[in-house]
Amino acid sequence: MKAAIYREYGSADGVRIEDVPTPEPGPGEVRIRMRAASLNPADIYMLRGWPYMLRLQSGLRRPKNNGIGLDFAGEVERVGEGVTHLRPGDAVHGEMTTPFSGRTRTIAEYLCLPATQAAKMPPGLSFEEAAALPVAGCTAMFAVRNFGGLRPGQQVLINGAGGGIGVHAVQLAKHAGAIVTGVCSGEKASMVRELGADRTIDYRREDFTAEDIRYDVMIDLASSRSPKECRRVLAPDGRFVWVGSVESSPFFGPLRPLLRVALTSQVARGQRWDTVTNTTTSADLGTLVGLLAEGALRPVIGRRYPLAEVADAIRYMETGHAGGKIVIAI
Ligand SMILES: NC(=O)c1ccc[n+]([C@@H]2O[C@H](COP(=O)([O-])OP(=O)(O)OC[C@H]3O[C@@H](n4cnc5c(N)ncnc54)[C@H](OP(=O)(O)O)[C@@H]3O)[C@@H](O)[C@H]2O)c1
């Protein structure tokens, strides 16, 4: 089968489409004929081997697992022993939550993984839309609903509103009845408003931490302002929900801003400061798909690439300025 493969840690330039053995499903696994995958910043971290301590798991000098991709959508082609809830022909999607299992990852013609990681796709969703949802949609759902706990009329700020998670978070916050401010570059403002933001702030021209407003909830996907600055515009009983960072380095990856938030959580009396760790399960995907059926959410595909152009797709993600989700059609 053809798969996106990298043999050395590095950048998109080292990613090739190679012929590799088609995987066989073991007990409890399914083999999926892949139709679409989507990219996430985590794919870039694994490709770079950042932070370096990740290499204890992924391979010290070279990556032990050479595939790319976590999000998937496709059709079950074969089921392993003991799999009863899925059958050949079922359309499924999900997140590969065992990226270091030794299995080729999701940007490939076939994918083998534990059947528990695959959820049946709802009717009416294309494979590309289904592949766009798992990591970004579930992370947005955890941030907005579980940690943000948004109530109607509350003021929420979403920093990084135009990216993969942001486009879901804006919609979910609006659905919860909140007054939504999206921070994004000027080019993404109309998309973010169309998704439900009441107001957008172009971070290249304005500093949201210099305003007089107090937000009930802040969802931070960019870590572009320090906790001290953010505290100033967070209500005294507000909730700060940290998800990710545009800052990344070989030694720390995105861990420095995470540590700053963890420290702030110890001193910010009255306010709640939390960090989100995405652990998508099929049940979470089911909840997300329910929100889709309610009309609370729709997938937002910013760019589509064919399998042969996966390196270009990764280059676009590497810019740190992706709009919506980047999908690979397989
Ligand atoms: N905690 C978890 O469990 C978890 C799970 C998944 C992802 N993450 C992390 O969450 C973060 C966001 O993920 P994603 O999938 O949304 O990434 P993405 O699709 O790459 O989007 C990132 C967005 O950040 C915006 N941005 C860049 N610089 C900014 C700045 N200074 N201020 C505000 N926005 C800025 C970019 O757009 P414009 O600059 O063009 O507006 C882009 O739309 C990443 O760091 C990722 O690693 C965390």
Side-chain angles (χ1 to χ4, degrees):
M1 68 164 183
K2 296 206 178 309
I5 297 290
Y6 62 108
R7 302 280 170 195
E8 305 280 342
Y9 290 117
S11 69
D13 294 346
V15 177
R16 307 265 180 277
I17 301 300
E18 291 188 12
D19 285 308
V20 296
T22 303
E24 289 298 324
E29 289 191 329
V30 281
R31 182 161 80 192
I32 296 166
R33 171 67 179 96
M34 285 290 297
R35 300 293 179 198
S38 78
L39 287 176
N40 292 285
D43 299 316
I44 308 288
Y45 288 129
M46 287 189 252
L47 174 62
R48 289 179 182 162
W50 286 8
Y52 286 150
M53 67 184 181
L54 178 81
R55 297 186 185 194
L56 292 174
Q57 198 174 15
S58 65
L60 280 181
R61 286 168 60 79
R62 290 200 175 78
K64 284 192 275 193
N65 186 316
N66 306 107
I68 299 179
L70 300 173
D71 281 329
F72 65 88
E75 284 161 303
V76 174
E77 197 234 6
R78 282 182 61 184
V79 298
E81 199 189 312
V83 177
T84 51
H85 71 292
L86 292 175
R87 286 192 306 200
D90 283 345
V92 292
H93 66 151
E95 173 189 350
M96 185 185 201
T97 52
T98 46
F100 302 113
S101 63
R103 291 298 200 182
T104 308
R105 295 193 190 126
T106 65
I107 305 179
E109 288 176 326
Y110 292 92
L111 169 70
C112 271
L113 43 52
T116 48
Q117 295 177 24
K120 280 189 192 167
M121 272 171 53
L125 211 59
S126 70
F127 285 115
E128 293 183 9
E129 290 170 328
L133 277 176
V135 171
C138 286
T139 308
M141 182 173 75
F142 298 146
V144 171
R145 288 162 56 107
N146 305 16
F147 289 92
L150 275 172
R151 295 190 303 278
Q154 284 194 316
Q155 291 277 357
V156 59
L157 177 131
I158 298 169
N159 187 24
I165 298 175
V167 294
H168 295 97
V170 167
Q171 297 180 74
L172 291 173
K174 192 64 195 169
H175 183 70
I179 303 160
V180 183
T181 299
V183 180
C184 57
S185 57
E187 307 90 83
K188 301 202 172 79
S190 58
M191 172 186 73
V192 170
R193 277 200 295 270
E194 197 214 314
L195 291 171
D198 298 277
R199 190 166 77 101
T200 52
I201 297 175
D202 179 351
Y203 65 83
R204 292 189 175 126
R205 299 159 67 98
E206 292 167 74
D207 174 1
F208 67 85
T209 63
E211 294 193 313
D212 282 336
I213 195 164
R214 290 285 175 275
Y215 294 98
D216 300 295
V217 177
M218 293 175 77
I219 295 178
D220 195 3
L221 310 168
S223 305
S224 52
R225 297 285 158 193
S226 69
K228 193 174 166 201
E229 290 169 312
C230 292
R231 277 184 76 180
R232 225 176 21 228
V233 284
L234 186 62
D237 60 348
R239 292 182 179 195
F240 187 93
V241 183
W242 183 89
V243 181
S245 168
V246 291
E247 175 192 321
S248 180
S249 69
F251 281 100
F252 298 105
L255 298 181
R256 250 189 329 217
L258 184 147
L259 285 176
R260 284 198 292 265
V261 170
L263 284 175
T264 308
S265 72
Q266 301 302 309
V267 296
R269 291 213 170 75
Q271 298 174 342
R272 218 174 102 175
W273 284 62
D274 287 311
T275 56
V276 175
T277 309
N278 174 25
T279 47
T280 304
T281 64
S282 295
D284 297 322
L285 255 185
T287 311
L288 194 73
V289 162
L291 288 164
L292 222 76
E294 271 178 48
L297 194 64
R298 66 176 169 85
V300 180
I301 298 175
R303 290 197 187 177
R304 292 176 170 80
Y305 293 82
L307 179 60
E309 291 171 21
V310 67
D312 289 335
I314 295 170
R315 269 180 211 108
Y316 176 50
M317 173 122 267
E318 282 174 336
T319 64
H321 297 285
K325 289 293 298 175
I326 307 169
V327 166
I328 317 294
I330 300 168

